[in-house]
Amino acid sequence: MSMRRVRYLIGAFLAVLWVAPLRAQVPTGTIRGVVTDEATKEPLASVTINVGSHRTVTHADGRYALTGVPEGTDTLRARMLGYAPATQPVTVVAGQIVVVDLTMTAQAVGLSEIVVVGYGQQTAGDISGAVKQLSFEDFNPGQITTPTMLIENKIAGVQVVDNNTPGGSVSIRIRGTTSINASSDPLYVVDGMPVGPGSGGGLSAGADPLNFLNPNDIESITVLKDASSAAIYGANSANGVVIITTKSKGAGGQGARIDYSGTVSSSSVTRLPSVLSAFTYDSIVRKDASAQQIGQLGKANTNWFNQIDHTAFTQEHNLAVTGAGETSSYRISAGYLDQQGVILKSETQRLSLGVNFEQRLFSDNLDIKVNARGSRTYDSYVPGNVLGDAANMGPTQPVLDPTALTGYYNYPGYNIQSPPNPVELLNLATSDGTEYRSIGNVQAEYRLPFFQALKAHVNVGYDVARATQGSFTPSTVAQEIQSSELGYENRLDNTQVNTVLEGYLNYAAPLNVVPGSIDVTGGYSYSESQAQYGTITLKGLSTNFLGESGTPTATTVTNLLDTEKSLLISFFGRLNYNLADRYLAAFAVRRDGSSRFGPANAWAVFPSASFAWRISQEPFLKSFTPLSDLKLRASYGKTGNQPLQNYVQYATYTPGDAGSQVQFGNTFTTTVRPGAYNPNIKWEATNSYDLGLDYGFLNQRFSGAVDWYIKNTTDMIFTVPIAAGTNLSNQLTTNIGSMRNSGIEFSLSAKILEGRGQGLSGLSWTADFTASRNTNTLLSINPYAGSATQIPVGSISGGTGNYAEILTPGQPINSFWVCRQYFQYDSTLKRSMPVEGKWYSVVQNKKGDSTFTGTCDTRGLRADHDPAPKWILGHTSYLTYGNFDLSFSLRAWTGNYVYNNVAAGGFLQQLTLRYSAYNVSTSYLKTHFQGAQYFSDVYVEDASFLRMDNITLGYSFKYRGQPMRAYVAVQNVFTITGYSGVDPTTNLNGIDNNIYPRARTVTGGLSVRF
Amino acid sequence: MNLRTLKAPAVAAAVLLLAVAAAGCTDTTVYPTSTISSSTLFSDPRSYQEFLGKIYASLALTGQQAGAGNADITCNDEGACNYIRLWWEFQELPTDEAIIAWNDGSLSQLNTQLLTSDNGFLYGMYYRIYFLVGMANEFLRQTTDGAVASRGASAALKAQVQQYRAEARFLRALAYWHALDIFGGWVPLVTENDPLGSTPPKQSDPVTVYNYIVSELTAIQGQLPAPSAATYGRATTMAANMLLAHVYMNDSVYTSGTNWTGALNAAQAVISSGVYSLDPSYRHLFQADNNTSPEMIFAIPQDGLKTQEYGGTDFLICASSGGSFSGTSGLGCSWWGIRLKPQADSFYITTADHPAGDTRNSYFVTEAGGQSLGITDWTAFTQGYGVPKYVNITSTGANGSSTQFADTDFPMFRLGDAFLIYAEACVRSGASGCAANALTYVDSLRVRAYGNATGNITAPQLTLPFLLTERGRELLWEGHRRTDLLRYNLFTGSTRLWSYKNNVPAGAATASTYNIFPLPRTELQVNPNLKQHGYN
């Protein structure tokens, strides 16, 4: 081939891609008209109109025009979400304009809604798995910093736990915890870009992996709960999939539109740990402590928590410019958030930018979407153990001491057994981090012009993050003097680059040989993750002047660099079959290969199948008009999970650092350590079964679903103790054990009042209810022994290496592992008091009487309750009247328990046996414990609660024809609970050890359009 | 060809091309780059020393990071699972010498002898022993003659590796001795001939383990390096003799056999080698520069800058510090943990064979320092004399190289111990011709303790009870007491009582079951071949 021809071909190829397609030389005409709502007679914007392959959308005034329509008779179709499709025959005459006005009838929302599913979309009515999509109208209002909080309390079977810190992490569990050592987090997919566990967010400690995403940019969030829906994502989908779709364009209108929304919030602490008052503390120390501790008592009355918390302010501004042309649309958004935490020094700032662009080419046959978003997040953290120090610092001690080096009071002698001044640390130490992150992709969908049923789809995406973090503690603060560390600095510099390349073909058409239609998708996905984690730690700083900004000479300097890479390669396919809109079947299969397994186990196949019967579409029920939907669903699916760490399968040697050398004669030698490894590590598999019923009455006025599921996880990836002498460490990451989650879910959405009348009957009220129950049981851990193996988990504070939870077969994971406290009536106090060191024994005598033990060991330790809620109940009400809207949501958990580690530190010896008397929890006043009773079940508390998560009052109006809304929202309105600690929704592992307190937040918000 | 006809196939081709190119890629192999792979490790001849170094490090350190981090074994608390720290706690806390104030997990059980199989420190000790054994076995597997030759090693390196292999075997024998001593030898005897994997090994028995230790130590005698400046902290022929002497000494405990002569000969070999001499200063043996002591036979070296961890002598210094003498040890830490049991002070009281003037307890912190002798509350640090025996201060009064981590080495075997073993083996064996030497050796320790000959004893005073007490005085808090009491059959039972024995403040008899400690329950669960001995 000559160079000329090559150039010609390249030129032609580029021309094809970018030059507007030439029109066919056939006679054409024009169709125009107006689309209105049947009931309200209002014009409808952004209705899709098409004739054959010609398509447009209606403008804000409901008008549309289709030019260049070939001569002849055809059908004009109008489609829009929430309306029944309208069709009308039309005859086009060359060179003439035909006017076709259409009316559309509002339809029960829900059934016709387009739901985003894995590698495609489906109408809600056609879905055969357990899938729930929420759009931005459904999202939680108020101060929301991370996307997952938008759906908190909204979906049955989805547990959302946030850690209260600004920009802090939010954990989601879909239908319980399925794994112990592999991840239990769902797979997030943002605009087709998988954001797997450990990506990005792992770079910035404590921060949420989705923190980069401005919640205001989100159009919808879809949760794939059952395995049949999730299995198309195979690997990492064992914990469900959360698909996030960002807003890409405004509805209709050829011109640009600008939306602004902003909020201002104020937050204050709701509950703090209850510690002894200065008066009580003083009197106990004087009565029971030694002369030394009494001598140290001060005269102040300091509430240390008041010194470290404040009323926090938050502001948020979002600006979006959207526009749509005939063949292209775009959305550009910018967001700014500055959120203060209720504990001083904690703050998050985020600057985010997003661009969504869509271009249709070649008579709409080629659809190119470009999504790119970037953010800069700055986080400031509470340094050190300020919350714990505030609980322990003596309330009679002053905050300031003009004679001290730092100006802050500390106990004399700087003993390690004196609590350090929390205010000193808070003000002089720093801990913060900055993360830059960008995520984006280009998606091209090409519909073959000569074979319209076939679509080819290519998705190329990236996720790049760089996080730097630093902490600095000057050598002059008490904590550093006490530990003789004398100054500490730690800097992290982490980068991660993930890339994804996906291609798939989709064929959707009625079948000619058999009745019904099929939709087949098949594709390939290649994703690669590369990360580099660099750490430098300095101890014994020669100067404090540089702070986090430099690396001064130090006594010890430790440098670490870790480079990691992983690959995930997949082939997937799906077949949806729809027979007469009544019988639906879907089959999906995915074959995944992961670099985290040896060659023999790298690949695994994850199949799934689901069936649905839309009973309401049956002829015998069609005449029964009150029933608008009844669908029975059944599904099975297998999903996989990989180890969180790379390279478990390889024998590797880890070199020691400069501070872990050994003397070897007259020199020192660095060491290398062979690590335990498991060449046989293989995929963890979860087999799930789901049986569900979707129902709807009175044109979906009442609708909902009931689901029953069971999930069996086998070959659980688990780091377990292995027989000593068999490998190179005492634990090995291997496939051992199995676990089961089973449960039921109910949801009901009721339009109780439809607000169609005048006056009070203009009130509309929609109420959503969800209820779910999950039961988790660890079935087995160890294949070698017939007996149960117990693995302690749930590290607690107090002593060295103590644990309060257990993994043991037959019990839920993370069951509390405590002794049952014996109580006796105290006639002086006139109440029942725990008897220190007396426990009910697990062993009972022949009569079945309780026996007792004096040591809380195997004779008394038992698995007792667990942190997971038994029932999660949710309710949201949404009321509108005229221009006003009011919404509130309530949440309740029952049967969740928390180990109150703060209370467990409440015993007398903390005041009497330390160098300085520690302040303790008021639990001491109830128990009168002299010594530590860390394993007493009195600290395992029922943390069931009812909480009003938010209440919002809004007012919507039109200004110059544009919609506007102003609102006031209160979050965390009230919590009713018997739990004595700070927050019953502590965290997923159920151990409350000086956790960040929960705030009540009042937000004022405004959204306007120009 | 016009554009219209070209466009569709071109787009289709582009999409297809991309898909096919991508789909061709199905190789999921990714090798680690931040750790060393087994194929590249031995290309560097230094790796043999670094690997052997790790076996030594498993006594001194807890992981691959300074201080803590990247831990060797998963344990409750990394620093608390240091080999020396655990060994010390097992040798001292259940005896009449030491008590600890902490209620960490089941640590306080050690004060009382009443260990249960779910004791976390038992678990730590067991896995520390087997971590060392595993490292040594892997080293021996990777350094067979064939393997070394196949890597093209030089003749010098081959000879070096032979010596290294003997050192690895010494360390493994040392660990098995600890398993024999603490767990009674009812443990698996895993060697380099067992495959690496996850198949649970078979249980062995005391006699087999004992014989294995003796045969290993005998076999490597010719290959170990002779002591020199280049062997400080390393296994030498003399370290092997010391280990052999200790094993023989307690033969009666381990296998009901007797081998006093063996112990006598092994101690004799050490003493007559002429390499070691008594340190003129007793205190120097426990100071930051004790590596310069001429008395050290086998020390576990620590270094404030290069060997940093929270077990070992750091633990001994920090946990012994508290009360009025907080922070006087040359390290900034005071952990308010270990003190003297009152009965240990009685070693020093004035008797006919122990006249006044012994300075070996000169550092005790007594009532004058706010400590009481008696203990009625084990959690109260001020009850029990303070014992800042180990300090991070040099013999010239300077601080160690760091105020956070100690320079002080742990003296596992030293000449003073060899003298006392010699004397005791001589008395017990009734061997002829050793009595005069025995008296000389004991008196040399006494001269050092008294600063003159006033403490010297006469031949009739060199009795077994005297020697046990003398070991208590000379080797207090050096990790020998439990083994010594077992040999005298005084550890359990009612003959000798001390504070908190059997969890009674005044002390009470304990069952002989506690002469060995139970196998950890977690281990019985993962290894069905193991049976508990004497415990339920």
Side-chain angles (χ1 to χ4, degrees):
Chain A
M1 197 186 277
S2 75
M3 281 307 291
R4 243 182 89 191
R5 284 189 69 185
V6 171
R7 262 190 241 124
Y8 170 74
L9 273 176
I10 293 171
F13 183 68
L14 289 175
V16 159
L17 283 177
W18 301 113
V19 173
L22 298 178
R23 294 280 169 221
Q25 301 302 312
V26 285
T28 58
T30 299
I31 310 169
R32 64 174 177 82
V34 180
V35 183
T36 49
D37 185 302
E38 167 84 64
T40 64
K41 311 296 179 207
E42 294 270 323
L44 288 172
S46 56
V47 176
T48 308
I49 308 288
N50 72 299
V51 173
S53 60
H54 292 257
R55 174 152 40 162
T56 188
V57 287
T58 58
H59 302 163
D61 57 1
R63 292 184 187 282
Y64 74 94
L66 274 168
T67 54
V69 183
E71 207 173 36
T73 301
D74 208 330
T75 307
L76 182 78
R77 295 167 206 278
R79 287 168 68 95
M80 170 137 158
L81 264 182
Y83 287 85
T87 58
Q88 196 161 316
V90 60
T91 304
V92 179
V93 180
Q96 291 196 14
I97 295 170
V98 193
V99 177
V100 181
D101 293 337
L102 290 164
T103 57
M104 296 181 79
T105 315
Q107 199 193 33
V109 189
L111 295 176
S112 60
E113 197 177 350
I114 300 296
V115 174
V116 181
V117 295
Y119 301 103
Q121 298 180 336
Q122 268 189 296
T123 50
D126 289 346
I127 288 177
S128 50
V131 173
K132 177 73 182 173
Q133 175 168 303
L134 291 175
S135 308
F136 63 95
E137 299 93 347
D138 309 317
F139 290 157
N140 284 320
Q143 186 199 88
I144 303 281
T145 46
T146 191
T148 34
M149 285 172 76
L150 295 168
I151 57 165
E152 186 171 47
N153 194 24
K154 294 281 185 180
I155 302 176
V158 177
Q159 183 191 1
V160 180
V161 179
D162 64 293
N163 75 356
N164 302 348
T165 58
S169 76
V170 179
S171 311
I172 281 198
R173 291 291 176 268
I174 299 171
R175 296 184 166 179
T177 300
T178 56
S179 188
I180 291 171
N181 282 121
S183 172
S184 283
D185 292 318
L187 172 70
Y188 296 100
V189 180
V190 179
D191 289 329
M193 181 68 198
V195 186
S199 68
L203 300 179
S204 194
D208 191 77
L210 297 176
N211 219 348
F212 72 96
L213 197 56
N214 183 348
N216 273 286
D217 286 346
I218 295 174
E219 173 77 26
S220 70
I221 297 178
T222 310
V223 179
L224 310 181
K225 293 194 285 187
D226 72 332
S228 75
S229 322
I232 190 98
Y233 285 109
N236 301 331
S237 68
N239 310 304
V241 179
V242 176
I243 301 178
I244 296 174
T245 308
T246 59
K247 290 175 184 165
S248 58
K249 60 187 163 196
Q254 298 256 330
R257 201 183 78 197
I258 300 172
D259 285 279
Y260 164 84
S261 66
T263 63
V264 181
S265 315
S266 153
S267 306
S268 53
V269 163
T270 49
R271 234 165 143 178
L272 287 162
S274 168
V275 291
L276 300 182
S277 67
F279 177 79
T280 318
Y281 170 85
D282 187 87
S283 62
I284 293 173
V285 172
R286 281 184 200 286
K287 181 166 152 284
D288 295 310
S290 70
Q292 164 167 304
Q293 284 126 356
I294 295 168
Q296 289 179 351
L297 281 173
K299 292 184 172 63
N301 183 356
T302 310
N303 181 331
W304 289 97
F305 285 106
N306 285 354
Q307 301 292 325
I308 61 165
D309 76 349
H310 70 149
T311 301
F313 293 98
T314 296
Q315 53 172 323
E316 190 188 2
H317 306 280
N318 296 291
L319 203 59
V321 182
T322 51
E326 209 165 311
T327 56
S328 65
S329 66
Y330 63 88
R331 182 175 191 273
I332 302 166
S333 67
Y336 173 74
L337 166 80
D338 180 359
Q339 183 189 3
Q340 293 180 339
V342 288
I343 302 297
L344 286 159
K345 277 255 179 123
S346 57
E347 184 173 11
T348 191
Q349 290 172 4
R350 178 178 61 213
L351 194 62
S352 57
L353 290 167
V355 177
N356 298 67
F357 176 73
E358 181 172 357
Q359 175 75 53
R360 287 169 192 267
L361 294 167
F362 310 146
S363 315
D364 292 354
N365 282 328
L366 180 63
D367 183 3
I368 297 174
K369 283 184 194 158
V370 180
N371 303 306
R373 47 195 71 248
S375 71
R376 175 193 183 273
T377 310
Y378 168 81
D379 287 295
S380 172
Y381 308 101
V382 181
N385 182 28
V386 163
L387 280 159
D389 293 342
N392 291 330
M393 188 66 186
T396 59
Q397 312 306 115
V399 179
L400 300 175
D401 175 4
T403 66
L405 183 63
T406 58
Y408 292 95
Y409 172 83
N410 268 295
Y411 281 106
Y414 290 103
N415 193 282
I416 198 97
Q417 295 228 347
S418 303
N421 185 331
V423 183
E424 179 189 55
L425 191 66
L426 186 79
N427 289 342
L428 300 181
T430 56
S431 177
D432 55 11
T434 306
E435 189 189 28
Y436 292 91
R437 190 161 181 197
S438 179
I439 184 166
N441 61 344
V442 178
Q443 295 181 76
E445 188 182 88
Y446 185 67
R447 189 187 293 274
L448 273 72
F450 44 87
F451 192 33
Q452 290 272 318
L454 190 64
K455 278 188 291 188
H457 197 115
V458 175
N459 175 19
V460 183
Y462 71 91
D463 175 1
V464 180
R466 173 159 188 219
T468 52
Q469 216 175 312
S471 23
F472 163 72
T473 314
S475 57
T476 46
V477 304
Q479 158 187 312
E480 295 299 299
I481 299 170
Q482 287 170 356
S483 67
S484 58
E485 193 169 71
L486 298 176
Y488 173 87
E489 187 182 335
N490 178 268
R491 300 166 60 79
L492 308 176
D493 189 344
N494 299 335
T495 54
Q496 190 171 49
V497 179
N498 295 348
T499 47
V500 170
L501 170 64
E502 287 177 328
Y504 59 91
L505 294 169
N506 173 265
Y507 172 81
L511 294 166
N512 295 325
V513 279
V514 285
S517 61
I518 61 160
D519 181 322
V520 189
T521 303
Y524 168 84
S525 164
Y526 178 94
S527 58
E528 183 185 290
S529 173
Q530 275 186 304
Q532 202 166 67
Y533 306 97
T535 313
I536 179 166
T537 307
L538 293 89
K539 289 176 184 173
L541 307 179
S542 57
T543 175
N544 292 325
F545 284 112
L546 301 181
E548 272 182 44
S549 315
T551 50
T553 315
T555 316
T556 51
V557 179
T558 312
N559 269 299
L560 282 175
L561 179 65
D562 186 25
T563 308
E564 305 248 339
K565 183 181 170 182
S566 65
L567 287 180
L568 185 68
I569 300 173
S570 316
F571 296 90
F572 54 87
R574 178 175 53 209
L575 188 153
N576 290 336
Y577 179 66
N578 179 337
L579 178 62
D581 279 344
R582 272 179 277 164
Y583 310 106
L584 308 166
F587 306 92
V589 65
R590 176 149 173 154
R591 186 161 179 266
D592 274 306
S594 165
S595 63
R596 290 180 181 169
F597 303 100
N601 298 315
W603 292 87
V605 175
F606 302 105
S608 75
S610 61
F611 305 92
W613 178 26
R614 292 186 70 182
I615 309 171
S616 53
Q617 299 291 99
E618 290 288 352
F620 60 84
L621 269 177
K622 268 207 155 161
S623 55
F624 182 61
T625 48
L627 187 71
S628 50
D629 182 31
L630 189 64
K631 180 164 70 177
L632 190 63
R633 294 180 273 107
S635 76
Y636 159 78
K638 183 179 173 185
T639 48
N641 215 341
Q642 355 172 24
L644 278 176
Q645 320 89 303
N646 288 312
Y647 317 128
V648 173
Q649 75 273 34
Y650 295 120
T652 57
Y653 291 80
T654 309
D657 66 13
S660 61
Q661 303 181 58
V662 283
Q663 192 167 352
F664 196 73
N666 38 22
T667 63
F668 278 83
T669 180
T670 52
T671 67
V672 288
R673 180 184 68 197
Y677 66 101
N678 182 2
N680 302 318
I681 185 91
K682 60 184 181 201
W683 288 88
E684 174 179 303
T686 299
N687 283 287
S688 315
Y689 305 85
D690 183 282
L691 198 60
L693 185 76
D694 293 343
Y695 62 89
F697 296 99
L698 304 174
N699 196 20
Q700 298 298 98
R701 189 171 168 188
F702 299 95
S703 65
V706 181
D707 274 272
W708 171 84
Y709 63 87
I710 187 157
K711 300 203 287 186
N712 289 319
T713 305
T714 51
D715 289 331
M716 204 150 67
I717 295 172
F718 208 159
T719 303
V720 288
I722 48 164
T726 60
N727 213 307
L728 298 170
S729 186
N730 62 330
Q731 297 209 330
L732 188 67
T733 302
T734 184
N735 296 91
I736 280 182
S738 55
M739 172 158 55
R740 183 174 59 218
N741 280 283
S742 61
I744 40 173
E745 295 162 4
F746 302 95
S747 66
L748 168 65
S749 179
K751 294 180 185 65
I752 296 170
L753 299 172
E754 295 199 293
R756 285 200 170 146
Q758 297 296 316
L760 260 188
S761 57
L763 182 69
S764 82
W765 179 20
T766 304
D768 292 337
F769 301 88
T770 61
S772 59
R773 185 193 161 91
N774 185 68
T775 308
N776 173 289
T777 313
L778 189 63
L779 299 176
S780 66
I781 300 180
N782 194 321
Y784 304 128
S787 63
T789 287
Q790 285 155 342
I791 300 178
V793 288
S795 182
I796 59 167
S797 160
T800 305
N802 285 328
Y803 296 89
E805 293 173 345
I806 195 91
L807 300 174
T808 188
Q811 299 291 334
I813 59 163
N814 301 334
S815 289
F816 294 106
W817 185 239
V818 286
C819 288
R820 195 158 297 166
Q821 185 75 49
Y822 177 78
F823 279 76
Q824 203 166 36
Y825 186 77
D826 186 310
S827 51
T828 330
L829 296 168
K830 298 208 169 23
R831 64 184 160 105
S832 186
M833 289 293 287
V835 180
E836 188 162 341
K838 190 170 184 185
W839 318 95
Y840 284 98
S841 170
V842 178
V843 189
Q844 295 192 327
N845 66 17
K846 281 177 186 162
K847 284 184 188 165
D849 299 336
S850 290
T851 56
F852 301 96
T853 160
T855 322
C856 180
D857 56 17
T858 35
R859 284 164 289 180
L861 284 165
R862 68 194 83 202
D864 199 8
H865 304 298
D866 71 283
K870 299 290 155 289
W871 281 96
I872 300 178
L873 308 171
H875 165 68
T876 305
S877 267
Y878 183 73
L879 297 99
T880 57
Y881 181 72
N883 290 338
F884 288 96
D885 59 81
L886 174 75
S887 69
F888 62 89
S889 66
L890 292 162
R891 166 164 56 146
W893 291 5
T894 68
N896 53 309
Y897 283 74
V898 170
Y899 178 85
N900 190 339
N901 206 161
V902 180
F907 54 92
L908 188 65
Q909 288 177 0
Q910 296 276 39
L911 294 122
T912 60
L913 279 187
R914 304 277 195 143
Y915 187 78
S916 305
Y918 277 50
N919 198 7
V920 297
S921 164
T922 49
S923 73
Y924 167 66
L925 304 176
K926 290 181 211 153
T927 61
H928 290 188
F929 283 146
Q930 306 287 299
Q933 305 294 315
Y934 295 123
F935 305 104
S936 171
D937 71 344
V938 299
Y939 301 123
V940 176
E941 298 185 37
D942 186 342
S944 301
F945 69 91
L946 170 70
R947 169 177 294 159
M948 181 178 271
D949 275 318
N950 60 64
I951 181 163
T952 307
L953 179 66
Y955 181 74
S956 303
F957 55 99
K958 284 206 167 175
Y959 178 69
R960 291 187 181 169
Q962 298 288 359
M964 309 232 169
R965 181 165 179 267
Y967 66 92
V968 182
V970 183
Q971 282 164 281
N972 189 25
V973 186
F974 62 81
T975 304
I976 301 168
T977 180
Y979 178 62
S980 69
V982 166
D983 185 1
T985 49
T986 304
N987 47 31
L988 284 164
N989 78 353
I991 291 175
D992 172 359
N993 182 26
N994 292 309
I995 56 161
Y996 197 98
R998 184 167 280 267
R1000 179 172 299 122
T1001 302
V1002 181
T1003 302
L1006 180 71
S1007 57
V1008 294
R1009 176 175 293 172
F1010 305 102
Chain B
M1 184 193 267
N2 69 27
L3 280 179
R4 182 171 154 69
T5 49
L6 181 71
K7 117 192 139 179
V11 172
V15 168
L16 212 66
L17 205 71
L18 210 59
V20 168
C25 192
T26 56
D27 184 7
T28 58
T29 313
V30 178
Y31 290 110
T33 49
S34 286
T35 49
I36 305 158
S37 76
S38 49
S39 57
T40 56
L41 177 70
F42 293 104
S43 61
D44 181 352
R46 286 176 307 180
S47 57
Y48 293 97
Q49 182 187 309
E50 291 171 357
F51 194 162
L52 178 66
K54 183 62 207 176
I55 313 176
Y56 283 107
S58 64
L59 289 165
L61 288 162
T62 52
Q64 295 300 76
Q65 260 172 259
N70 205 338
D72 297 333
I73 61 170
T74 312
C75 189
N76 286 357
D77 175 87
E78 188 179 328
C81 286
N82 171 281
Y83 198 118
I84 295 302
R85 175 166 169 177
L86 287 160
W87 170 245
W88 188 94
E89 286 170 343
F90 273 88
Q91 285 292 79
E92 298 289 352
L93 297 178
T95 73
D96 49 5
E97 289 194 349
I99 194 159
I100 194 159
W102 307 332
N103 194 10
D104 291 349
S106 41
L107 183 59
S108 62
Q109 283 184 351
L110 268 72
N111 286 332
T112 68
Q113 298 187 357
L114 307 180
L115 264 71
T116 52
S117 71
D118 56 339
N119 187 295
F121 295 82
L122 205 62
Y123 171 94
M125 187 76 249
Y126 190 87
Y127 284 100
R128 263 291 161 206
I129 288 171
Y130 277 94
F131 177 77
L132 192 156
V133 167
M135 289 293 114
N137 286 343
E138 182 67 5
F139 182 80
L140 294 171
R141 275 190 283 262
Q142 298 286 349
T143 56
T144 56
D145 291 349
V148 176
S150 74
R151 296 177 196 125
S154 66
L157 182 60
K158 280 182 191 165
Q160 186 77 97
V161 169
Q162 280 308 315
Q163 197 178 65
Y164 287 172
R165 285 173 64 85
E167 292 180 60
R169 288 166 72 183
F170 167 83
L171 292 169
R172 182 174 62 181
L174 177 73
Y176 274 126
W177 171 49
H178 294 157
L180 179 64
D181 196 76
I182 293 174
F183 300 103
W186 299 105
V187 294
L189 188 60
V190 189
T191 71
E192 71 271 29
N193 300 320
D194 293 298
L196 192 68
S198 56
T199 315
K202 296 263 183 297
Q203 191 163 26
S204 191
D205 60 85
V207 174
T208 310
V209 174
Y210 176 88
N211 289 339
Y212 179 77
I213 297 167
V214 171
S215 73
E216 280 288 286
L217 291 172
T218 314
I220 58 176
Q221 266 292 350
Q223 295 158 21
L224 285 170
S228 73
T231 60
Y232 186 75
R234 290 173 63 187
T236 59
T237 47
M238 294 305 134
N241 275 319
M242 279 304 285
L243 178 50
L244 207 48
H246 275 280
V247 176
Y248 284 144
M249 280 299 278
N250 272 36
D251 188 6
S252 58
V253 177
Y254 305 141
T255 72
S256 311
T258 52
N259 208 335
W260 312 116
T261 327
L264 185 72
N265 292 341
Q268 178 65 60
V270 173
I271 298 164
S272 58
S273 71
V275 182
Y276 311 102
S277 61
L278 281 193
D279 196 314
S281 161
Y282 180 73
R283 293 294 295 132
H284 181 223
L285 286 163
F286 315 102
Q287 288 171 326
D289 56 349
N290 62 352
N291 57 313
T292 61
S293 171
E295 198 176 329
M296 288 291 186
I297 300 170
F298 183 58
I300 312 300
Q302 309 267 277
D303 189 84
L305 300 177
K306 291 175 178 152
T307 312
Q308 302 180 338
E309 42 69 57
Y310 293 99
T313 48
D314 295 85
F315 160 77
L316 289 173
I317 294 169
C318 296
S320 307
S321 180
S324 66
F325 58 106
S326 292
T328 57
S329 61
L331 287 185
C333 55
S334 294
W335 294 355
W336 297 56
I338 42 182
R339 302 94 67 196
L340 199 69
K341 276 187 182 144
Q343 291 72 22
D345 188 58
S346 66
F347 306 158
Y348 299 90
I349 59 168
T350 304
T351 58
D353 58 11
H354 191 253
D358 189 344
T359 59
R360 282 176 295 191
N361 61 349
S362 58
Y363 56 89
F364 282 12
V365 182
T366 60
E367 283 82 356
Q371 300 291 122
S372 65
L373 177 64
I375 304 174
T376 52
D377 178 354
W378 59 269
T379 63
F381 182 82
T382 49
Q383 298 188 11
Y385 284 169
V387 191
K389 184 171 187 175
Y390 301 88
V391 288
N392 189 35
I393 296 167
T394 66
S395 47
T396 58
N399 243 317
S401 57
S402 150
T403 53
Q404 244 205 315
F405 298 102
D407 284 343
T408 321
D409 300 343
F410 182 75
M412 186 166 270
F413 299 137
R414 63 178 173 93
L415 187 63
D417 181 25
F419 281 175
L420 292 170
I421 289 176
Y422 182 93
E424 190 180 329
C426 177
V427 174
R428 286 187 187 264
S429 65
S432 59
C434 60
N437 278 339
L439 192 63
T440 311
Y441 295 152
V442 171
D443 277 343
S444 66
L445 294 173
R446 308 273 289 179
V447 166
R448 177 169 69 180
Y450 283 81
N452 52 47
T454 53
N456 285 10
I457 56 163
T458 60
Q461 286 175 318
L462 192 69
T463 61
L464 287 177
F466 169 82
L467 280 167
L468 178 65
T469 318
E470 186 64 14
R471 281 186 74 82
R473 289 186 281 259
E474 176 68 24
L475 302 170
L476 180 85
W477 284 39
E478 291 181 50
H480 295 290
R481 192 62 179 175
R482 188 179 149 276
T483 306
D484 290 345
L485 288 170
L486 283 169
R487 187 168 65 249
Y488 281 83
N489 202 17
L490 292 170
F491 182 61
T492 56
S494 58
T495 317
R496 190 173 288 193
L497 300 179
W498 51 81
S499 294
Y500 286 95
K501 187 174 178 180
N502 203 4
N503 202 21
V504 176
T510 48
S512 63
T513 313
Y514 295 103
N515 280 336
I516 61 167
F517 289 126
L519 295 171
R521 189 160 49 95
T522 47
E523 188 59 15
L524 296 174
Q525 285 165 342
V526 294
N527 188 345
N529 297 327
L530 298 185
K531 296 270 175 302
Q532 193 66 273
H533 274 260
Y535 290 84
N536 293 319

